[in-house]
Amino acid sequence: MYWDREAETMDRGKLESIQVERLRETLRRARKSPYYGKLFRDAGIEPEQVNSVDMIKAIPFTTKDDLQAHWPYGFLAVMKDEVIRMHASSGTTGRSIVVFHTASDIAGWTDVLARSIYMAGMRKDDVFQNMMSYGLFTGGLGFHYAAEKVGALVIPAGAGNSKRQIQLMRDFETTVIHIIPSYAIHLFTVFGELKVDPKKDTKLKMAFIGAEPHSEKMRKKIEEFYGIKAYNSYGLSEMNGPGVSFECPAQSGMHIWEDHYVVEVIDPKTLTPVPDGEEGELVLTTLMREGMPVLRYRTKDLTRIIPGQCECGRTHRRIDRIKGRTDDMMILKGVNIFPLQIEKKLMEIPGVGTNFVIILEREGNEDSMVVKVEVQKEYFAGDLKQLENLRKRIVEELRSDILITPKVSLIEPGGLRSTEGKAVRVIDNRKE
Ligand code: AMP
Ligand code: ZN
């Protein structure tokens, strides 16, 4: 049941001594990059003196802005001819950030992601359909190599082309898929149009879902519709991509692989550590990377360490599902709201479909929120009163949670634009 029993179940003392050793080595390597070289000189940081993980706190945080400002090679810690691949984050604004990998980086990443998917239950006899974009985005190639390493038959389907995806699933008896949750949900309608029932007409048993925030309810909807288990997969390009943190069969949080990453959770305002169990911003340091070590990276992702041990026997700590990003938070009439809060509420209401979008408007000095949400098609066929009652109920449920009365409009299934990449949940028209 373990890909690498020793690595996955080593006692915390051993894990910490490995971390110290790898941290020292990481700092030695990082010093060779123009960015950290200067930073270490200015701050008087001596990698050789590091003898505890806690000493990491002497190093300043690294932010996305730092990576962007030193684009493209400012963080490169090896000669260019050592690099065999680059990836980039899927940022939609500004210049994306790039990450360079040596052969050993790719091998390390592949192994830790193979560990993750093996942990969830994927094996050599599985047929794995990778429905993620195979470009600069890490979800395509990253999973591809990890699944090959496990020995599964890999179908590099890529993103989009929904009907063909379903055809591939049926023809080649796909058992495991890797898919963005909002796209998994979008496919409900396509399965319907084709009159294919994934529970009866496919051999699917498992999905890896990740790359964007999603609620427990959303997971349940996916699991029920496809008749599968769906495992949460978390990662970011700056830390390789997927394989940073992954759910085990206990589905009670994602193990974060501490032999590859140092994990900190901080208060994003005061930048001080928060105790285990409390929510904050995840900060990560690579421990295995040669080409481009990144130290104390502020991910902007909000989560918490789940205290206590997991029943599966792995000793690496767990993080809770990502609540959102610090930069996703909407402030409306002084109230802080995360898109995931809205999703959670919507998913609890029977009859509500799965796709939604939040639009923020400003009229004069007054901000308002419009929530457009798809609901089941029966509502449009029947009594209009029923539709209006559902709309009122949604307004009321949202108001009770976010303390703001949104305008709600109900849309027929498939009526909202959906993407094959990460879903766009908020359109803010308040900005000029
Ligand atoms: P990228 O580097 O473009 O792949 O984007 C990484 C970002 O996607 C992370 O920093 C998170 O904000 C988000 N993300 C990735 N996986 C998950 C997940 N399982 N749950 C929530 N957000 C995720
Ligand atoms: Zn576990």
Side-chain angles (χ1 to χ4, degrees), residues 183-246:
Y183 187 59
I185 294 235
H186 165 72
L187 283 187
F188 290 8
T189 339
V190 187
F191 273 104
E193 280 164 20
L194 297 176
K195 303 207 169 21
V196 176
D197 177 354
K199 286 204 274 286
K200 288 204 214 97
D201 307 326
T202 76
K203 295 268 190 302
L204 291 178
K205 59 178 196 198
M206 196 188 320
F208 304 132
I209 55 172
E212 67 184 10
H214 55 284
S215 59
E216 184 59 41
K217 284 268 174 204
M218 182 82 110
R219 182 236 292 274
K220 285 267 145 56
K221 284 211 171 187
I222 294 172
E223 292 193 331
E224 274 158 28
F225 181 79
Y226 290 89
I228 56 170
K229 281 271 170 210
Y231 294 97
N232 196 354
S233 154
Y234 168 78
L236 60 161
S237 317
E238 296 86 330
M239 297 289 129
N240 296 338
V244 173
S245 191
F246 217 95

Side-chain angles (χ1 to χ4, degrees), residues 84-91 96-99 101 106 109 130-145 156-160 178 180 237 240-242 420-421:
I84 63 161
R85 202 197 298 167
M86 65 175 260
H87 277 288
S89 82
S90 51
S96 66
I97 60 101
V98 281
V99 177
H101 302 272
I106 295 291
W109 174 23
N130 195 11
M131 299 161 75
M132 293 275 183
S133 137
Y134 272 69
L136 288 166
F137 176 55
T138 56
L141 287 173
F143 259 87
H144 184 96
Y145 285 103
H178 177 212
I180 291 188
S237 317
N240 296 338
E420 51 202 50

